[in-house]
């Protein structure tokens, strides 16, 4: 058996739920969830419109697995004039209220409405093949008036936001 295959088999056994206690699932089902999240971000940042927030925790090995995908997202965002910010849970502990795990991404459209909150993708390898994020980027620079996507039921390589 090759070393690569051993690594893949080992990583598959360590997949965890993004929202293991279903806290985000329950909270996001409340009618005012989007508005409360938007207000929470608005308290910290002047500009939310047409913005992508990458959220990571220092020391989380899973964050390294998203580097290629983050680079692609950043390139696509730059091409369409979307603002990109990278936040660390250790520097922004208030994010722990909203996110059960990292790495995660939060996206707002031009009217400062939530478009997406959740992990970059599922599985042990973060990439565009198993991700909604890249397909949602064009919605950020438009007013589309659709419902936000809160993706909490994913299984992959995630670090608990509340373990620090």
């Amino acid at each position: 058996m090759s070393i690569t295959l051993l690594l893949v088999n080992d990583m598959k056994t360590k997949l965890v739920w993004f929202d293991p206690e279903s806290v985000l699932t329950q909270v996001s089902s409340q009618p005012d969830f989007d508005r409360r999240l938007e207000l929470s971000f608005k308290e910290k940042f002047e500009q939310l419109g047409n913005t992508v927030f990458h959220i990571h925790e220092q020391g989380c090995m899973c964050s390294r697995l998203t580097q290629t995908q983050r680079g692609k997202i950043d390139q696509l965002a730059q091409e369409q004039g979307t603002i990109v910010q990278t936040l660390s849970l250790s520097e922004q502990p208030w994010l722990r209220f909203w996110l059960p795990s990292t790495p995660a991404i939060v996206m707002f459209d031009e009217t400062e409405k939530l478009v997406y909150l959740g992990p970059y993708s599922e599985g042990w390898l973060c990439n565009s093949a198993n991700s909604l994020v890249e397909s949602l980027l064009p919605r950020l620079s438009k007013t589309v008036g659709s419902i936000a996507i809160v993706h909490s039921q994913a299984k992959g390589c995630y670090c608990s936001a509340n373990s620090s």
Side-chain angles (χ1 to χ4, degrees):
M1 187 176 278
S2 74
I3 293 173
T4 304
L5 186 55
L6 285 172
L7 177 62
V8 169
N9 287 336
D10 185 47
M11 294 209 52
K12 284 183 180 179
T13 63
K14 294 181 182 177
L15 295 179
V16 297
W17 289 104
F18 183 76
D19 186 16
E21 305 296 323
S22 296
V23 173
L24 179 58
T25 302
Q26 292 172 12
V27 172
S28 66
S29 67
Q30 297 172 357
D32 63 341
F33 172 79
D34 296 10
R35 185 72 184 135
R36 289 187 304 119
L37 175 77
E38 292 156 6
L39 288 172
S40 181
F41 270 77
K42 192 69 176 168
E43 287 177 9
K44 307 292 182 189
F45 306 98
E46 287 182 36
Q47 167 68 25
L48 289 188
N50 196 18
T51 303
V52 169
F53 291 93
H54 295 290
I55 303 169
H56 301 276
E57 182 59 286
Q58 295 175 357
C60 174
M61 187 267 308
C62 300
S63 292
R64 284 184 248 143
L65 297 175
T66 64
Q67 287 178 337
T68 301
Q69 188 176 13
R70 280 194 329 253
K72 183 176 180 183
I73 291 166
D74 291 353
Q75 180 182 3
L76 291 169
Q78 182 180 15
E79 290 170 3
Q80 71 180 36
T82 297
I83 299 163
V84 177
Q85 293 198 39
T86 300
L87 307 175
S88 165
L89 284 179
S90 57
E91 295 170 5
Q92 305 284 339
W94 61 276
L95 289 167
R96 295 177 199 283
F97 178 80
W98 299 105
L99 294 166
S101 299
T102 62
I105 189 165
V106 181
M107 302 164 64
F108 295 95
D109 72 12
E110 70 175 7
T111 64
E112 301 187 342
K113 299 293 182 203
L114 178 65
V115 171
Y116 180 85
L117 178 145
Y120 289 89
S121 59
E122 298 185 53
W124 63 271
L125 184 60
C126 290
N127 62 50
S128 302
N130 58 2
S131 172
L132 294 171
V133 175
E134 289 86 341
S135 66
L136 294 174
L137 277 171
R139 291 179 49 191
L140 301 186
S141 60
K142 299 175 181 144
T143 305
V144 291
S146 59
I147 296 172
I149 296 170
V150 178
H151 187 36
S152 60
Q153 296 303 306
K155 199 167 188 181
C157 183
Y158 312 118
C159 296
S160 173
N162 296 308
S163 63
S164 300

